[in-house]
Amino acid sequence: MSYTSFNPVPRTLMGPGPSDISPRVLAALSRPTIGHLDPQFITMMDEVKSLLQYAFQTKNELTIPVSAPGSAGMETCFANLVEPGDTVIVCQNGVFGSRMAENVTRCGGKLVLVEDEWGEAVDAEKLREVLASNPEASIVAFVHAETSTGVESDVKALCSIADEFGCLTIVDAVTSLGGIELRVDDWGIDAIYSGTQKCLSAPPGISPVSFNEKAIKKITSRKVPVQSWFLDLNLVMGYWGGGAKRAYHHTAPINALYALHESLVLLQDEGLESAWARHAKHHNALRVGLEALGLQFVVEESLRLPQLNAVALPDGVDEAAVRGALLNKYNLEIGAGLGKFAGNLWRIGLMGYAANEANVRLCVSALDAEIGGKGLGTVAVNNYYQG
Ligand SMILES: *Cc1c(COP(=O)(O)O)cnc(C)c1O
């Protein structure tokens, strides 16, 4: 058997992640691998930490990239903060909330589930009632940007209610970080995790996390050790927090971290608020185009995520066939529905580097051609960008 090098045809990535990666970030990936305890690498690690503090808007010392994808960031939060017997409230309004719930039970926690409809935000008043009737609860967890439905929940309001009841908060910011407003310190978030392949537009496989002093106190005063050796922050802190005394824990994904570093430098140079504004602007262009094609958003306007646009399928359209045509004819990937929404909608991502005018034009004109839009979407997008 003899294989040759793998050279994928490039695609435009407008699904739920991964998103398009800037050539600058891809170039960073291919720089020479150096040792993970090399002084140069340690300097870069310190820069990654401080760039992540900026992206998260936090001063938390424990702000690090976990060497595994977003799901591992989720497990890092639950495995470290939940002790057997702890009562944990999970607010669930989509696929990722149900994964949080699964984490709680696997950590031996007592799960209290607060369910909201798919396509709706997490209901703060419902959370308040559940907290009032479960005074033993010590943690509240929810998703900021639910990628399965395209809905944003009000992190600030939910954290403030959790705090009234003395609970720590765990927030999923995998899809929100870098795409919409997120302020870890101002909003009182205790533990948060994200991913690199959504609005940060770095390669998948790393999960930035951040923990404040309250959360660290809970972790360092655990009665039982964290079940996972790899994710135990008590050990990971010796590597990422050790300064010059950094001790070997595991081999960091060195080149992937170069790429994350470069994507965070891009974010810093653009400015966080400008990045949020760019996502909003191109979302509006996409909306105008899709609506001109007769497509309708699934989520109420005030709750929509600019970076994840969930649109209902037009009557008589074969969703998989259209997605296939976009991929094969235009090298354009958009997302299908997930979970309960499978087969019912498309999820069109505008994440990170992919949130740009050329992508909006490509997506709307391709859909226009494939669903018989008579050029109306293309004209509307043109008008938006020219107006
Ligand atoms: C993508 C995603 C995850 C999981 O991230 P992976 O990197 O795929 O493990 C978790 N939560 C949300 C909201 C996501 O969108």
Side-chain angles (χ1 to χ4, degrees):
M1 218 180 298
S2 168
Y3 295 114
T4 54
S5 307
F6 176 60
N7 278 297
V9 173
R11 312 283 201 195
T12 298
L13 299 178
M14 297 180 71
S19 58
D20 285 345
I21 297 180
S22 154
R24 266 183 61 177
V25 173
L26 288 176
L29 259 182
S30 66
R31 293 192 187 128
T33 303
I34 58 175
H36 69 119
L37 296 173
D38 185 310
Q40 296 183 88
F41 187 71
I42 288 172
T43 303
M44 192 215 65
M45 282 166 83
D46 289 338
E47 290 184 16
V48 167
K49 280 174 65 173
S50 107
L51 288 161
L52 283 175
Q53 287 171 330
Y54 170 66
F56 276 126
Q57 293 288 288
T58 182
K59 295 199 170 66
N60 290 342
E61 185 54 36
L62 184 53
T63 301
I64 59 170
V66 171
S67 303
S71 305
M74 183 188 287
E75 293 226 20
T76 301
C77 290
F78 287 92
N80 283 276
L81 288 171
V82 179
E83 283 199 85
D86 283 353
T87 299
V88 181
I89 297 177
V90 172
C91 305
Q92 181 202 320
N93 63 340
V95 165
F96 293 99
S98 26
R99 291 190 179 179
M100 288 179 141
E102 183 72 18
N103 268 272
V104 172
T105 44
R106 290 188 186 216
C107 291
K110 288 192 197 127
L111 172 69
V112 179
L113 200 57
V114 185
E115 288 183 88
D116 284 293
E117 287 299 319
W118 283 45
E120 297 290 332
V122 171
D123 184 334
E125 285 318 305
K126 227 194 251 179
L127 171 62
R128 183 190 293 284
E129 285 162 25
V130 172
L131 276 162
S133 51
N134 291 274
E136 74 290 3
S138 57
I139 296 174
V140 171
F142 56 87
V143 178
H144 182 196
E146 197 23 281
T147 322
S148 60
T149 63
V151 166
E152 176 174 9
S153 287
D154 187 344
V155 174
K156 194 177 174 188
L158 295 167
C159 285
S160 126
I161 293 172
D163 188 54
E164 275 174 47
F165 289 84
C167 288
L168 289 173
T169 45
I170 297 176
V171 177
D172 178 319
V174 176
T175 285
S176 59
L177 184 68
I180 49 173
E181 184 176 14
L182 170 62
R183 301 182 188 278
V184 168
D185 289 356
D186 288 355
W187 292 356
I189 299 167
D190 298 303
I192 190 163
Y193 60 91
S194 187
T196 45
Q197 78 277 29
K198 308 218 177 173
C199 295
L200 296 181
S201 280
I206 295 182
S207 174
V209 298
S210 183
F211 295 80
N212 70 8
E213 287 303 324
K214 249 178 17 195
I216 292 173
K217 202 162 153 228
K218 165 106 203 217
I219 296 169
T220 51
S221 58
R222 284 177 65 103
K223 289 178 230 44
V224 272
V226 174
Q227 185 277 330
S228 162
W229 176 85
F230 183 68
L231 299 178
D232 184 348
L233 286 168
N234 292 294
L235 306 176
V236 176
M237 279 187 267
Y239 183 50
W240 276 95
K245 297 195 304 295
R246 205 150 282 175
Y248 169 65
H249 176 262
H250 65 279
T251 310
I254 294 163
N255 292 58
L257 285 168
Y258 299 167
L260 174 60
H261 179 276
E262 189 71 8
S263 75
L264 292 168
V265 166
L266 287 173
L267 181 63
Q268 161 211 271
D269 290 351
E270 179 178 19
L272 197 51
E273 302 199 349
S274 307
W276 299 338
R278 174 170 51 82
H279 283 85
K281 171 181 167 184
H282 296 297
H283 156 77
N284 282 326
L286 182 70
R287 173 178 58 79
V288 162
L290 296 176
E291 286 175 354
L293 292 177
L295 295 170
Q296 275 169 4
F297 277 74
V298 172
V299 174
E300 177 203 314
E301 195 166 349
S302 64
L303 305 176
R304 282 178 204 160
L305 294 172
Q307 66 273 49
L308 197 287
N309 298 270
V311 288
L313 287 176
D315 286 340
V317 164
D318 176 342
E319 81 85 17
V322 173
R323 267 190 305 113
L326 295 188
L327 192 66
N328 296 321
K329 290 200 221 164
Y330 307 86
N331 287 309
L332 169 62
E333 178 180 283
I334 64 168
L338 188 63
K340 263 187 223 177
F341 281 170
N344 295 337
L345 49 74
W346 287 317
R347 290 180 301 151
I348 304 179
L350 281 172
M351 296 184 177
Y353 187 67
N356 66 54
E357 178 175 336
N359 280 11
V360 171
R361 287 181 181 277
L362 171 66
C363 180
V364 172
S365 62
L367 279 174
D368 206 331
E370 295 304 316
I371 66 173
K374 306 193 183 77
L376 292 174
T378 308
V379 169
V381 171
N382 242 338
N383 290 340
Y384 177 89
Y385 283 120
Q386 278 163 9

